[in-house]
Amino acid sequence: MNGTTATVGRDVGRILEALGGLMIVSIVVSLVWREWFGAVAFGASALVPLAVGYGLHRRFADADSPSRLHGMVVAATGWLLVGVFGSLPFLLVAWGVHLGLPTTIEGTPTLAAFRDPLNAVFESTSGFTGTGLTMTDNEEVLPRSLQWWRTFIEWIGGVGVIVLTTAILARPGSGSLTLYESEARSEKIHPSIVSTVRTIWWIFLLFTFVSILVLWLVGMPMWDAINHAMTALATGGFSVTDNSIATYDSAAIDAALIPIMLLGSIAFPVHYLILQGDLRNFYTDLQTRWVFIYMSAGSALLWAFLYVGPYDSPLRAVRYGVFQFVSAATCTGFQTAVDATNVALGAWPAQAQLLVAFGMFVGGAAGSTVGGIKIIRGLTLIKGIRYHVADVFYPDSAVRRLNINGRRLTETEANREFVEATIIAVLWTTFLVVGTVLLLVILPTEKFSLANAVFEVASAQGNVGLSSGITGPDSLPTVGKVAFLGHMWIGRLEIIPILVALRTLLNRGGMYP
Amino acid sequence: MNVRDLPIVRTIYESGADDRVFDGLLLAGPFVVVLIAGLGRSFVTELLAVAYVGVFLGYVLYRGIRG
């Protein structure tokens, strides 16, 4: 058996075992809500990834530790399969109700949308990637079991399925670092990667409990607080209400969610240092400092666009402008600007929509739960361009250094980091343009503008979930749903692992020289 | 047998910020949430939630100022 197949098979098997475990854990929620059929659906769904995962894990138990290539292929394949297998609870519940199996779960058009496997896979992938674009028309009428599953997969996906698998199943020295890095993470809290991922989960759990109680205190019902705290912290954005956060029409809830979303957009190592008492990291860490600068500047600009645009009151413009920019730039995707309460995002002026799309493009700090190209890459690009332009003014013999986040990089190191940031930014933009053109071709031109299309693709690829009204079970054509699956997938893994996996696949298939 | 020797408790103590207060908050978190969910909104449960969040924020600030 080929070494790559064995290593990839073994590690993907572990990821699927972890996915099966998540489904088993979710049975408790169905039982609490007395949705017996939900419990059966979770149990039956769990059997599939557990059986496949166990088979792969056992079959390739002696495989070599993963190399960098293996890590990328594992990440790409694992995330793809997690999206596919994670759709099973949606499919089973929807079909069970449709076929009249004994259940107390009510059949609704919203639930019926999940009888289409593509819709179910879309919802699952959107959840795991922390995107939050949805195939539901009304989340409120979904059974609690599925509301929970949507929330839970976003919460897990925010930190990462490989991080979860490493924390539970990996042993030290088994190539965990390679896998960890392939999931768009590089920061280490401890020398050991297993200790690092366990600390990440420790921080995430503690913040989750605090967030739940904060949201409950400002007026959310407990079930809503649990779900929204989990999806806000994971910067996912799935909601259990029909109109996202706009449902509450509460400035207190809007205000409470902003710091929770910001927490999710700050790197875990910084959280760890802050919990250790080193509060200076709020301003000494380059990315964290820029999270606040960039969110403030973006919110102020959006406020200006909205005040001279759709909102006649400066306070309303502040409330919606700040919340929506933070929601976009942290890649959360909660909406307070919807039709029912005010002016929907899709009806905002083009400059406001494009500013929000820019927020989604950049995202928050690397090493957090956000999408986008990440602030550190944006800063590297700016500093790198300045460095290269200034190069002309120095003699050839000059020895120059580039300072990034307290690190003094040599010319070789600076070039490497600049090239890496450039590649990600160029690929990100390329896929954004391709996706936008595709949407413009398949959507009715009289209904959606160019700004709407750019906004929606940036939202999918940045793993944000804000919608200008394009995404929906009926409004988005099948081609668009498939394309968005791709955008969410490449956005979550920062593109390169997907391209490496595709090249490996084509290479093995003899289609690549 | 020490409480720290229990399987989940041991993992939490070994994984965190090496601080008894934060570990305690993490361990108490699910109980507080379940208790509030069970009892509903009242002065007592609101006080409990305020105490939990207050201890967390206060302790972060305390450690920051002290450290």
Side-chain angles (χ1 to χ4, degrees), chain A residues 14 64 79 178 187 226 228 233 288 367 396 447 469:
Chain A
R14 283 167 145 173
D64 294 334
W79 275 86
T178 314
E187 291 76 10
I226 292 170
H228 289 129
L233 199 58
T288 310
D396 291 343
K447 213 170 169 191

Side-chain angles (χ1 to χ4, degrees), chain A residues 428-503:
Chain A
W428 217 98
T429 312
T430 305
F431 281 105
L432 176 68
V433 170
V434 170
T436 303
V437 171
L438 180 71
L439 271 194
L440 290 174
V441 170
I442 62 174
L443 289 175
T445 45
E446 69 282 3
K447 213 170 169 191
F448 298 106
S449 65
L450 172 64
N452 291 157
V454 172
F455 186 98
E456 203 80 1
V457 179
S459 179
Q461 195 165 293
N463 300 138
V464 181
L466 289 172
S467 178
S468 58
I470 293 173
T471 304
D474 301 321
S475 54
L476 186 62
T478 301
V479 176
K481 290 176 188 172
V482 174
F484 273 23
L485 282 173
H487 285 295
M488 294 189 279
W489 188 38
I490 62 174
R492 181 61 182 82
L493 293 177
E494 297 183 341
I495 308 172
I496 303 287
I498 313 291
L499 299 181
V500 169
L502 289 176
R503 180 185 162 139

Side-chain angles (χ1 to χ4, degrees), chain A residues 290-463:
Chain A
W290 273 93
V291 163
F292 291 109
I293 295 172
Y294 154 70
M295 300 286 172
S296 307
S299 299
L301 193 55
L302 187 56
W303 168 81
F305 286 157
L306 294 180
Y307 183 42
V308 297
Y311 298 107
D312 49 3
S313 145
L315 284 178
R316 277 169 61 83
V318 165
R319 181 176 163 193
Y320 296 114
V322 173
F323 188 92
Q324 290 302 174
F325 190 82
V326 172
S327 175
T330 59
C331 303
T332 308
F334 282 145
Q335 286 191 228
T336 49
V338 293
D339 280 321
T341 54
N342 54 77
V343 185
L345 283 170
W348 277 8
Q351 65 270 27
Q353 289 189 53
L354 293 176
L355 176 64
V356 174
F358 177 75
M360 302 193 252
F361 169 75
V362 176
S368 67
T369 64
V370 303
I373 65 163
K374 313 286 188 299
I375 283 178
I376 191 67
R377 291 213 182 86
L379 292 170
T380 304
L381 280 174
I382 293 167
K383 283 176 174 254
I385 290 168
R386 202 173 61 189
Y387 179 86
H388 281 281
V389 169
D391 209 35
V392 179
F393 298 95
Y394 287 88
D396 291 343
S397 57
V399 177
R400 300 184 62 214
R401 301 270 182 175
L402 178 65
N403 283 309
I404 296 180
N405 207 13
R407 294 177 303 134
R408 293 194 75 223
L409 305 178
T410 63
E411 192 162 351
T412 311
E413 290 167 337
N415 281 334
R416 193 175 57 229
E417 299 219 359
F418 183 58
V419 165
E420 193 250 3
T422 309
I423 288 172
I424 297 287
V426 167
L427 285 174
W428 217 98
T429 312
T430 305
F431 281 105
L432 176 68
V433 170
V434 170
T436 303
V437 171
L438 180 71
L439 271 194
L440 290 174
V441 170
I442 62 174
L443 289 175
T445 45
E446 69 282 3
K447 213 170 169 191
F448 298 106
S449 65
L450 172 64
N452 291 157
V454 172
F455 186 98
E456 203 80 1
V457 179
S459 179
Q461 195 165 293
N463 300 138

Side-chain angles (χ1 to χ4, degrees), chain A residues 190 195 198-199 202 205-207 209-210 212-222 226 272 274-279, chain B residues 11-12 15-17 22-23 25-26 29-30 32-33 36-37 40-41 45-46 49-50 52-53 56 60-61 63-64 67:
Chain A
H190 306 293
S195 300
R198 286 188 177 152
T199 300
W202 182 95
L205 260 175
L206 178 60
F207 285 1
F209 291 128
V210 173
I212 289 170
L213 294 175
V214 167
L215 291 181
W216 182 77
L217 278 172
V218 292
M220 264 192 202
M222 184 49 95
I226 292 170
Y272 182 74
I274 287 168
L275 291 177
Q276 294 279 19
D278 196 351
L279 295 183
Chain B
T11 307
I12 287 171
S15 304
F22 286 135
D23 287 334
L25 283 172
L26 180 52
V32 173
V33 170
I36 291 175
R41 196 177 287 275
T45 52
E46 285 188 348
V50 168
Y52 188 94
V53 176
F56 173 77
V60 170
L61 282 175
R63 289 201 73 173

Side-chain angles (χ1 to χ4, degrees), chain A residues 7 10-11 64-71 74 174-176 178-179:
Chain A
T7 302
R10 190 260 327 271
D11 290 335
D64 294 334
S65 288
S67 64
R68 196 156 161 248
L69 167 69
H70 296 144
V74 167
S174 60
S176 301
T178 314
L179 291 173

